[in-house]
Amino acid sequence: MPATPKKIFQILNQTIEALFSVPSPELALRLYLECAEAANDCDLEPVAYDFFTQAFVLYEEEVADSKAQVTAIHLIIGTLQRMNVFGVENRDTLTHKATGYSAKLLKKPDQCRAVYACSHLFWVDDQDGVKDGERVLLCLKRALRIANAAQQMASVTRGSSGPVTLFVEILNKYLYFFEKGNPQITSAAIQGLVELIKTEMQSDSTNVSPAPDAFFSSTLRYIQFQKQKGGVMGEKYAPIKV
């Protein structure tokens, strides 16, 4: 009897389940995602969806360590980004789950980074169907709110607002989607974010950490470079003042 892809995936599923007795949930989760990607390449949507569901169940029930959760959620987001086998409904269910888990991570900076990583699930360059500018913007705004909360918590606990790194990271995501032609990401929104970061850095001049300062400076230099480039990109960037 010939070995069909479905048969092979059934055997792989049984092999991964055997890891539960070890137990090795992080490895099992990674393998489920690798199998989902392989099923994607074989154009087997139900199999790929099933492997993703198993990975999510494993994440909810077995991955308890907060650092392991951060690694797992970024693996899930990265794998989901590369999937093109899912129809709208299945993709929506999985992306909704991934964004939900991201916002529930223990530490605010981890939440923020996972939530803005989810923005890429709604704008995939090599896929005709997935370009949802509205949901990209929702992810980035949510990440900004979390970054703001992290900043306020740092202010209460340390007496300073803490580094503005998260804001600069989000600014870079705004620039990425701005260049990709997402109509929801406007030059005015980018300008507002640049001003917000400048204000945050000035209000905390006692605690200027060199890393975010350098990161922000290089981002501003990049904007300036794009402005001077001329052509379509130069025109896009022209209204932004740095």
Side-chain angles (χ1 to χ4, degrees), residues 15-204:
T15 309
I16 298 168
E17 280 176 0
L19 285 170
F20 289 11
S21 59
V22 175
S24 186
E26 285 94 346
L27 177 60
L29 186 134
R30 193 181 289 267
L31 291 171
Y32 275 140
L33 293 174
E34 286 180 10
C35 286
E37 212 167 340
N40 176 76
D41 296 342
C42 295
D43 212 20
L44 294 169
E45 182 181 7
V47 178
Y49 187 82
D50 194 45
F51 277 121
F52 250 102
T53 306
Q54 305 264 45
F56 281 145
V57 169
L58 199 59
Y59 177 85
E60 280 179 11
E61 295 179 0
E62 302 292 338
V63 183
D65 176 72
S66 61
K67 279 186 181 172
Q69 284 182 343
V70 173
T71 305
I73 207 65
H74 282 282
L75 271 175
I76 287 168
I77 295 165
T79 307
L80 196 45
Q81 207 181 321
R82 294 189 295 274
M83 306 290 281
N84 51 27
V85 74
F86 294 131
V88 175
E89 198 176 319
N90 280 345
R91 190 177 177 87
D92 265 4
T93 303
L94 296 172
T95 49
H96 183 73
K97 274 275 188 204
T99 47
Y101 292 142
S102 298
K104 288 180 186 150
L105 289 168
L106 181 64
K107 294 177 181 172
K108 291 280 180 209
D110 291 335
Q111 278 181 25
C112 177
R113 289 185 174 108
V115 167
Y116 75 55
C118 285
S119 62
H120 290 281
L121 297 176
F122 303 109
W123 194 279
V124 183
D125 261 356
D126 58 356
Q127 265 170 266
D128 299 331
V130 190
K131 280 194 169 54
D132 189 339
E134 191 73 47
R135 287 174 83 177
V136 166
L137 184 61
L138 281 173
C139 272
L140 296 180
K141 281 184 168 177
R142 192 177 190 182
L144 265 176
R145 284 198 301 274
I146 297 167
N148 210 32
Q151 200 77 331
Q152 286 170 354
M153 279 171 73
S155 173
V156 171
T157 56
R158 292 203 292 270
S160 74
S161 58
V164 294
T165 312
L166 288 173
F167 290 117
V168 185
E169 288 172 20
I170 296 166
L171 171 60
N172 276 271
K173 288 292 168 198
Y174 267 80
L175 295 177
Y176 172 84
F177 289 111
F178 182 62
E179 290 186 10
K180 292 292 179 190
N182 181 341
Q184 303 293 328
I185 308 292
T186 62
S187 56
I190 291 168
Q191 186 72 62
L193 198 41
V194 167
E195 299 307 324
L196 170 75
I197 296 166
K198 284 180 177 174
T199 307
E200 285 288 341
M201 290 178 99
Q202 281 162 5
S203 69
D204 194 30

